[in-house]
């Protein structure tokens, strides 16, 4: 059993799911500290309003999850 | 000591971040043979560049312009007085059209900038705006911006080292490249959980400092309340999008709550009033 490939498959599907379900959180992880966290959205709320980036993260999440499934399949086949 | 509770929390989170950084530095030195001086200089440069670029792009991306004193004399006077009360130099004041009522601070003590949106000025009364300005000045006084940059810097460095450690310890096949990227992302997310936790607390501290500076928490509470209420009935499409995003992920539950930079507005209003 190739444990690294198994790990890649499991973590890939997991991270892909998080990216699809919580795109805003993923964007925040990468932008906090690099730009003011309250630059977008309304004052006093968590940053939001970048639907474009959220769609991009969701799309990447699907790709990551599918890649995870692919690596998982290589272990079975 | 101005904020013993914040200092204690910062000591805990700072130690955790330092531990992450130390592990990354040891791995970089041990596994990749990078000398200590290069690790330290590289880290300082990395964070320094992030700080400088972050400030530049933040101001540029909202199209911020210097706020003319002749046109906004009251705001300039309020900020001058608040800065004097808080013992900092008056920050540079800028104005931008952001599409929503908003304000933010960038920079540090002595080189701070506060950006206010035209929409915020139109929405709030003078005392409510003073509450918001005091909150932003408190962020500069408490070095909150610098703390976030440092936190993100540590998270990025740890993630990069983790990524390379996975990559170089494998067989360089496709699965290893994929695993390295995934591990880097997950590690960055884990480190940022600690940064976000302290960021949420620092919002409460900034609210408290703003209330002290203007003598009451009520104006800032009213400002937050007014903006929240405005969002609920706004028919502006950009605002709708934001509200939808907040509704989907919520401000106070699950992963979204852990990865929030701000505490829920209702809790902040409660604290300001009590």
């Amino acid at each position: 059993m190739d444990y690294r490939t198994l790990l890649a498959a499991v973590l890939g599907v997991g991270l892909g799911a998080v990216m699809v379900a919580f795109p805003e959180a993923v964007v925040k992880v990468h932008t906090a500290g690099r730009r003011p966290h309250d630059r977008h959205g309304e004052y006093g709320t968590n940053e939001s309003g970048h639907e474009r980036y959220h769609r991009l993260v969701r799309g990447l999440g699907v790709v990551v999850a599918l890649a995870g499934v692919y690596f998982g399949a290589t272990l079975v086949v | 000591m101005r904020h013993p509770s914040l200092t204690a929390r910062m000591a805990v989170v700072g130690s955790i971040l330092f531990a992450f950084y130390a592990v990354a530095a040891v791995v970089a030195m041990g596994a990749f043979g990078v000398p200590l001086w290069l690790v330290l200089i590289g880290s300082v440069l990395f964070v320094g560049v992030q700080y400088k670029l972050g400030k530049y792009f933040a101001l540029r991306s909202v199209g911020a312009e210097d706020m003319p004193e002749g046109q906004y004399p009251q705001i300039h006077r309020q900020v001058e007085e608040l800065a004097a009360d808080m013992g900092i130099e008056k920050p540079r004041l800028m104005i931008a059209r952001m599409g929503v009522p908003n304000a933010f601070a960038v920079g540090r003590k002595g080189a701070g900038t506060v950006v206010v949106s035209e929409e915020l000025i139109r929405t709030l009364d003078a005392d409510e705006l003073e509450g918001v300005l005091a909150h932003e000045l408190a962020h500069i006084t408490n070095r909150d911006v610098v703390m976030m940059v440092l936190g993100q810097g540590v998270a990025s460095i740890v993630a990069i080292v983790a990524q390379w450690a996975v990559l170089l310890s494998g067989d360089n096949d496709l699965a290893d490249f994929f695993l390295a990227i995934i591990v880097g992302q997950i590690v960055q997310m884990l480190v940022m959980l600690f940064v976000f936790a302290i960021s949420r607390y620092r919002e409460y501290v900034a609210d408290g400092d703003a209330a002290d500076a203007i003598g009451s928490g009520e104006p800032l509470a009213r400002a937050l309340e007014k903006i929240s209420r405005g969002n609920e009935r706004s028919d502006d499409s950009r605002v709708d999008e934001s509200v939808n995003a907040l509704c989907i992920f919520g401000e106070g539950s699950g992963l979204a709550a852990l990865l929030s930079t701000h505490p829920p507005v209702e809790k902040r209003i409660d604290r300001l009033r009590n």
Side-chain angles (χ1 to χ4, degrees), chain B residues 23 28 30 38 51-52 63 66 79 81 118 124 150 167 178 188 193 232 235-238 246 262-266:
Chain B
V23 170
L38 191 58
Y51 173 77
K52 281 286 176 195
D66 281 311
V79 170
E81 287 172 8
E118 289 179 3
L124 302 182
L150 271 176
L167 197 61
F178 182 70
Q188 182 156 7
L193 285 180
E232 281 167 19
D235 56 357
D236 181 280
S237 62
R238 284 181 64 183
L246 289 173
H262 284 61
V265 175
E266 300 76 27

Side-chain angles (χ1 to χ4, degrees), chain A residues 41-60:
Chain A
E42 294 72 27
Y43 187 76
T45 65
N46 278 290
E47 180 182 323
S48 58
H50 266 311
E51 201 55 35
R52 202 167 36 148
Y53 293 127
H54 300 163
R55 276 199 295 271
L56 178 68
V57 171
R58 280 201 180 102
L60 284 172

Side-chain angles (χ1 to χ4, degrees), chain B residues 62-215:
Chain B
V62 293
E65 291 171 359
D66 281 311
M67 186 184 282
E69 195 159 355
Q71 207 176 335
Y72 300 97
Q74 193 182 358
I75 296 178
H76 275 273
R77 191 176 44 78
Q78 282 176 332
V79 170
E80 259 166 33
E81 287 172 8
L82 287 169
D85 283 351
M86 292 180 172
I88 58 170
E89 282 178 35
K90 182 191 172 196
R92 184 182 178 190
L93 272 174
M94 299 185 89
I95 189 161
R97 196 173 293 138
M98 298 187 214
V100 287
N102 205 347
F104 65 83
V106 289
R108 58 187 159 77
K109 271 183 184 176
T113 303
V114 173
V115 183
V116 184
S117 78
E118 289 179 3
E119 295 80 0
L120 189 78
I121 296 172
R122 279 202 301 268
T123 306
L124 302 182
D125 297 335
D127 61 336
E128 294 161 353
L129 186 60
E130 188 181 27
V132 170
L133 292 168
H135 174 91
E136 295 308 326
L137 260 63
H139 276 315
I140 294 174
T141 311
N142 296 336
R143 300 184 178 89
D144 291 340
V145 180
V146 178
M147 197 286 301
M148 281 299 277
V149 175
L150 271 176
Q152 177 64 265
V154 170
S156 302
I157 290 168
V158 174
I160 290 167
V161 171
Q163 204 163 314
W164 279 95
V166 170
L167 197 61
L168 296 181
S169 62
D171 304 327
N172 278 345
D173 58 14
L174 197 56
D176 274 327
F177 279 106
F178 182 70
L179 182 61
I181 292 169
I182 300 297
V183 166
Q185 294 298 315
I186 292 172
V187 166
Q188 182 156 7
M189 218 175 259
L190 286 177
V191 179
M192 287 305 287
L193 285 180
F194 296 97
V195 179
F196 287 141
I198 199 70
S199 166
R200 289 192 293 276
Y201 188 72
R202 295 182 87 101
E203 286 296 325
Y204 287 129
V205 174
D207 283 347
D209 285 354
D212 289 344
I214 60 175

Side-chain angles (χ1 to χ4, degrees), chain A residues 2 4-5 7-8 11-12 15 18 21-26 28-51 54 58 64 67-68 70-71, chain B residues 50 54 58 61-62 98 100-104 106 132 135-136 148-149 152 156 166 169-170 175-176 178-179 182 185 188 192 196 203 227 231 239 241-242 249 251 255 259-262 265 268:
Chain A
D2 180 357
R4 289 176 72 97
T5 305
L7 195 60
L11 293 181
L15 182 65
V18 168
F22 304 100
E24 192 173 4
V26 175
K28 209 171 288 164
V29 163
H30 287 278
T31 55
R34 295 193 169 117
R35 61 182 198 191
H37 51 246
D38 41 8
R39 196 193 67 186
H40 294 287
E42 294 72 27
Y43 187 76
T45 65
N46 278 290
E47 180 182 323
S48 58
H50 266 311
E51 201 55 35
H54 300 163
R58 280 201 180 102
V64 169
Y70 165 76
F71 288 116
Chain B
Q50 277 203 17
S61 65
V62 293
M98 298 187 214
V100 287
N102 205 347
F104 65 83
V106 289
V132 170
H135 174 91
E136 295 308 326
M148 281 299 277
V149 175
Q152 177 64 265
S156 302
V166 170
S169 62
D176 274 327
F178 182 70
L179 182 61
I182 300 297
Q185 294 298 315
Q188 182 156 7
M192 287 305 287
F196 287 141
E203 286 296 325
I227 294 163
N231 293 341
V239 173
E241 234 173 48
S242 318
F249 307 114
E251 276 189 301
L255 186 67
L259 292 170
S260 294
T261 50
H262 284 61
V265 175
R268 290 177 63 189

